[in-house]
């Protein structure tokens, strides 16, 4: 009788061990934008590849639209291990103690995606990701979004048009300096709060790639959108180092492969998503889309170049010079 009880107990224990062994590894991936954006699509695609290729041993739970955390909280949640994966904008890394990422915010530093990729897909990009490791974070990839437009309830054609406007920015000192160089008053605000702040007049205007502007309906509360392409906004996909290092090696390798393939698809689609969003803004008739003339664009460039000098000490002169070298940017030619 006693033997039978022990045998039953052992069988039950074996069952629960087996059940435990089959529990998938869960990756909570939090982000702040809509699903129908470059980052939203890339996150969904990574989830699909990761789950398929690990045959369900990994489950990726994507939480879009600040559903789980807003900008600042998601960074804290990653460090605490409450979520495992994020893809914050490169403008949001300074609070982690890596202000070098703000080099990506410098006005007009990239003319197009080809120049950007020389940095994100080359040695400079890799060295920047390495700087995250002492902070307990691993940088897995860069994901593209796109070049920013400016919006307000008045037409923004020349730098003088910004005078006194309250402009929402991400938490980047370079963006603060950029808005001040235009004569505007920068206001740092979480992404999830921007629509309402524009609607109620807490801020007068903002900047973002068209995909973010459109999917948050910001164009419905902004009368004018200027296609200025004055700066770039993109992401680094990051994971909690302790979590990543603790994964079984075969799983980690599979996930790295899934990330590589998701990144390629994401980067191929980012421009298309932004072009489509800009077209949709035009079609909506809610906002007038302004294209700058060559002279107007030159005036923006001249007004904004000083941001590069002002921020050089903070970001690192050598880093800025190495980016110039990679992309062929020549401040003297503006
Ligand atoms: C913003 O805050 O404007 C962006 O960083 C949002 C995003 O993640 O694209």
């Amino acid at each position: 009788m006693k033997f039978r009880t022990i045998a039953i107990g052992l069988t039950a224990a074996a069952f629960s061990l087996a059940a435990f062994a089959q529990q998938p590894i869960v990756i909570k991936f939090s982000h702040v934008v809509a699903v129908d954006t470059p980052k939203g699509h890339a996150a969904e695609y990574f989830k699909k590849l990761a789950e398929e290729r690990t045959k369900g041993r990994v489950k990726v739970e994507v939480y879009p639209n600040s559903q789980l955390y807003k900008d600042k909280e998601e960074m804290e949640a990653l460090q605490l291990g409450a979520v495992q994966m994020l893809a914050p904008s490169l403008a949001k890394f300074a609070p982690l103690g890596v202000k070098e990422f703000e080099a990506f915010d410098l006005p007009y530093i990239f003319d197009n995606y080809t120049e950007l990729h020389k940095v994100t897909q080359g040695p400079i990009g890799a060295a920047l990701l390495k700087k995250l490791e002492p902070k307990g974070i691993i940088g897995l990839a860069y994901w593209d979004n796109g070049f920013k437009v400016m919006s307000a309830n008045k037409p923004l054609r020349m730098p003088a048009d910004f005078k006194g406007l309250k402009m929402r920015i991400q938490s980047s000192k370079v963006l603060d300096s950029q808005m001040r160089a235009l004569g505007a008053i920068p206001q740092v605000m979480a992404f999830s709060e921007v629509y309402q702040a524009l609607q109620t007049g807490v801020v007068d205007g903002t900047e973002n790639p068209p995909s973010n502007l459109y999917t948050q309906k910001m164009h419905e509360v902004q009368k004018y959108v200027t296609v200025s392409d004055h700066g770039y906004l993109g992401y680094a996909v990051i994971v909690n180092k302790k979590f990543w290092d603790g994964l079984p090696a075969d799983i980690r390798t599979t996930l790295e492969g899934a990330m590589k393939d998701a990144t390629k698809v994401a980067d191929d689609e980012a421009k298309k998503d932004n072009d489509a969003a800009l077209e949709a803004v035009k079609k909506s008739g809610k906002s007038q889309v302004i294209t700058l003339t060559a002279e107007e664009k030159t005036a923006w460039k001249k007004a904004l170049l000083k941001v590069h000098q002002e921020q050089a000490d903070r970001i690192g002169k050598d880093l800025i010079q190495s980016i110039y070298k990679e992309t062929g940017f020549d401040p003297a030619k503006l």
Side-chain angles (χ1 to χ4, degrees):
M1 185 65 183
K2 199 169 167 207
F3 176 76
R4 211 171 145 235
T5 315
I6 293 172
I8 291 170
L10 280 177
T11 317
F15 269 129
S16 61
L17 257 181
F20 181 72
Q22 280 161 18
Q23 288 289 317
I25 298 165
V26 175
I27 297 181
K28 288 193 177 155
F29 186 157
S30 167
H31 71 80
V32 299
V33 294
V35 176
D36 197 12
T37 55
K39 177 162 62 179
H41 293 149
E44 293 301 330
Y45 193 56
F46 171 71
K47 167 186 167 68
K48 177 175 152 21
L49 295 184
E51 292 179 354
E52 274 172 15
R53 293 184 188 173
T54 61
K55 303 196 170 40
R57 281 170 73 202
V58 169
K59 187 164 181 283
V60 182
E61 294 175 356
V62 183
Y63 298 93
N65 250 326
S66 310
Q67 228 171 62
L68 210 52
Y69 297 110
K70 297 201 271 186
D71 300 307
K72 208 157 128 311
E73 291 118 27
E74 70 172 18
M75 286 292 200
E76 286 158 10
L78 184 81
Q79 287 178 300
L80 292 171
V83 294
Q84 290 70 39
M85 194 174 276
L86 306 173
S89 144
L90 301 166
K92 294 176 183 168
F93 280 75
L96 288 180
V98 204
K99 43 192 188 304
E100 289 88 340
F101 280 89
E102 289 183 5
F104 289 98
D105 298 332
L106 289 168
Y108 293 110
I109 193 159
F110 306 112
D111 264 344
N112 48 52
Y113 286 99
T114 310
E115 288 185 7
L116 167 78
H117 291 161
K118 287 186 180 157
V119 177
T120 51
Q121 296 173 7
I124 301 174
L128 284 173
L129 293 181
K130 272 265 168 244
K131 285 185 185 285
L132 295 168
E133 289 190 20
K135 316 285 171 195
I137 289 171
I138 295 204
L140 294 177
Y142 291 95
W143 281 355
D144 288 352
N145 189 341
F147 293 88
K148 291 179 282 187
V149 297
M150 287 276 196
S151 67
N153 282 324
K154 62 181 275 200
L156 301 171
R157 291 183 197 280
M158 290 293 276
D161 298 328
F162 283 84
K163 199 165 170 28
L165 292 186
K166 277 181 272 156
M167 299 293 288
R168 180 268 171 175
I169 56 163
Q170 306 171 83
S171 63
S172 153
K173 290 280 184 286
V174 171
L175 298 178
D176 183 288
S177 165
Q178 168 200 277
M179 289 304 186
R180 289 182 198 282
L182 292 168
I185 305 153
Q187 302 240 333
V188 174
M189 188 179 286
F191 184 66
S192 55
E193 287 161 15
V194 183
Y195 173 86
Q196 212 186 354
L198 291 169
Q199 189 186 36
T200 55
V202 168
V203 290
D204 301 306
T206 189
E207 58 165 12
N208 237 301
S211 57
N212 278 349
L213 177 97
Y214 180 68
T215 53
Q216 296 297 320
K217 299 189 170 38
M218 293 179 199
H219 65 293
E220 294 185 4
V221 286
Q222 295 276 266
K223 293 199 175 78
Y224 297 92
V225 172
T226 302
V227 184
S228 45
D229 293 330
H230 62 281
Y232 171 74
L233 188 153
Y235 313 103
V237 186
I238 55 177
V239 281
N240 179 300
K241 185 171 182 327
K242 215 159 135 203
F243 167 78
W244 197 249
D245 290 345
L247 288 173
D250 62 323
I251 295 267
R252 200 167 45 236
T253 307
T254 307
L255 292 179
E256 279 164 2
M259 182 55 67
K260 201 164 164 229
D261 294 348
T263 300
K264 185 154 183 346
V265 169
D267 290 357
D268 287 349
E269 289 197 355
K271 185 172 184 317
K272 282 185 225 151
D273 280 357
N274 279 302
D275 289 349
L278 189 62
E279 275 315 302
V281 171
K282 283 182 190 162
K283 270 215 191 101
S284 76
K286 308 249 180 202
S287 231
Q288 191 184 319
V289 176
I290 299 170
T291 312
L292 296 178
T293 63
E295 293 78 46
E296 286 164 346
K297 200 151 191 181
T298 305
W300 284 54
K301 288 187 174 177
K302 288 212 183 312
L304 289 170
L305 184 61
K306 70 171 183 212
V307 177
H308 291 230
Q309 288 118 36
E310 273 174 22
Q311 297 294 318
D313 284 340
R314 180 179 153 80
I315 294 167
K317 285 194 179 72
D318 292 348
L319 173 60
I320 296 181
Q321 286 303 329
S322 66
I323 297 178
Y324 288 176
K325 208 164 149 224
E326 204 66 67
T327 63
F329 179 91
D330 183 355
K333 282 201 192 134
L334 284 188

